[in-house]
Amino acid sequence: MKKTLLAIFLLTAFGLKAQKYELSKEIPFQPGEKIELKATVGFIRAAEATFSVSDVIYTINNKPTWKIDINAKTVGVFEFFSSVRDNWGTYYDTTSLVPQQFYRYIKEGRFRKNEILYFDHDKDSVTVAKLHKETMKLESQKDHAIPENVQDMVSGYYYLRSIDFDKIKEGELIVINTFFDDKQKPFAVKFMGREVLKTKLGDVNALVLVPMMKKDSLFEEDNTLKIWLSDDLNKIPLKVQAKIYVGYLNVELKNVENLRHPLSIIE
């Protein structure tokens, strides 16, 4: 089940220029927030993912930061064919809303990849440290230039949650600068509008987004992915649906804890 849950939420786009957006006056999340998702292919359980914000504020580069982790794993029959244990995380500046540090530890079958990104926004640079796949010892590091206010692939999603969608027009493309795989890559989604979505927690007002991405080894068609976020100050993921080569992938909200704002459930 490689490149599934994390590929869904941590996406790259192409040929686009990032813009600045008006943000909500209130932060959409808080320490201790936890979002659990489950993925199925057809009727078969495939994977689970957890988005969690630590209940501790960490100091990185002399800045207060939230520690945010995304953990994904295969389950059921998919665990038998190709086990996945992925952890992506960021230390996200509570004031400037940029990452101070990013890490990813990838275990997918026999494949391993470990790296840490150290951001220096005063110098518009990032140091990418590659770690040994087993011992985690430093193997190499390299500096890269980055644009102002760049995000990583985790903080980019939390920045997206901060955008005031009342100021976004239906059909508008949202583009956020990110740094990923040793280079700058824009993260882009199209705002398709609003609708009511039936969820485990009830009927919820939702924002509908389509990430701009090309057909690849996972997705069968261009821009085939569709994401529903709660249409409230939280903007948590409610559902993801995509046509992939082995069928239809559905990701649905399983549980939430410690949301900062009321969820937009229709009574």
Side-chain angles (χ1 to χ4, degrees):
M1 195 62 181
K2 297 179 182 179
K3 288 181 63 184
T4 51
L5 284 176
L6 290 180
I8 284 171
F9 290 102
L10 312 175
L11 301 169
T12 55
F14 41 91
L16 301 167
K17 185 177 180 180
Q19 304 174 36
K20 289 187 177 180
Y21 299 96
E22 189 167 340
L23 304 182
S24 300
K25 294 181 180 179
E26 297 185 62
I27 296 295
F29 56 89
Q30 64 183 349
E33 181 191 84
K34 184 177 181 181
I35 303 169
E36 297 177 83
L37 304 161
K38 63 178 181 179
T40 57
V41 177
F43 295 102
I44 302 173
R45 287 194 316 138
E48 297 176 348
T50 302
F51 292 56
S52 57
V53 182
S54 172
D55 55 8
V56 175
I57 297 296
Y58 291 80
T59 300
I60 304 292
N61 296 336
N62 295 317
K63 307 286 187 179
T65 65
W66 296 289
K67 183 178 183 293
I68 303 173
D69 281 281
I70 300 179
N71 289 278
K73 65 178 182 179
T74 45
V75 296
V77 65
F78 286 91
E79 176 74 3
F80 175 77
F81 284 111
S82 182
S83 175
V84 170
R85 294 291 186 274
D86 289 352
N87 172 213
W88 299 47
T90 188
Y91 289 92
Y92 191 37
D93 195 312
T94 63
T95 302
S96 57
L97 302 184
V98 292
Q100 295 295 338
Q101 193 177 121
F102 168 80
Y103 50 90
R104 57 173 172 161
Y105 308 122
I106 307 299
K107 296 174 64 176
E108 299 178 349
R110 296 182 178 179
F111 177 76
R112 303 286 187 273
K113 183 167 187 175
N114 303 305
E115 69 176 9
I116 302 175
L117 276 59
Y118 301 95
F119 290 91
D120 187 336
H121 294 280
D122 292 334
K123 297 181 179 178
D124 290 330
S125 70
V126 60
T127 300
V128 179
K130 307 287 186 180
L131 311 180
H132 188 275
K133 64 180 182 179
E134 299 294 346
T135 67
M136 303 289 285
K137 291 183 178 179
L138 179 64
E139 289 190 321
S140 66
Q141 62 182 35
K142 185 177 181 180
D143 295 336
H144 301 266
I146 55 173
E148 185 179 1
N149 297 323
V150 72
Q151 302 290 333
D152 60 47
M153 292 304 289
V154 174
S155 70
Y157 163 63
Y158 282 80
Y159 178 82
L160 177 70
R161 288 177 61 181
S162 300
I163 292 175
D164 184 353
F165 274 80
D166 289 336
K167 302 297 191 298
I168 303 296
K169 297 179 181 178
E170 187 172 322
E172 184 175 344
L173 199 63
I174 300 168
V175 185
I176 300 169
N177 264 334
T178 65
F179 185 88
F180 181 65
D181 274 346
D182 299 325
K183 57 185 175 182
Q184 178 188 335
K185 294 183 179 181
F187 167 87
V189 293
K190 181 179 285 189
F191 175 46
M192 305 301 292
R194 292 174 163 86
E195 61 183 55
V196 176
L197 183 70
K198 187 180 295 277
T199 75
K200 181 180 178 180
L201 303 180
D203 292 344
V204 180
N205 289 315
L207 306 167
V208 186
L209 304 173
V210 173
M212 298 291 101
M213 56 188 302
K214 293 182 178 180
K215 174 180 176 180
D216 65 6
S217 60
L218 174 63
F219 299 102
E220 190 173 13
E221 301 172 355
D222 288 355
N223 309 329
T224 183
L225 194 59
K226 193 174 183 180
I227 299 176
W228 289 260
L229 303 180
S230 61
D231 186 11
D232 50 35
L233 290 173
N234 301 296
K235 300 183 188 68
I236 63 170
L238 300 172
K239 182 180 178 180
V240 180
Q241 188 175 69
K243 186 177 182 181
I244 60 177
Y245 282 97
V246 295
Y248 279 91
L249 175 68
N250 287 287
V251 180
E252 296 180 318
L253 181 66
K254 182 180 177 181
N255 188 46
V256 293
E257 296 177 14
N258 203 28
L259 292 182
R260 179 164 185 167
H261 308 283
L263 194 61
S264 56
I265 298 176
I266 300 175
E267 302 295 339

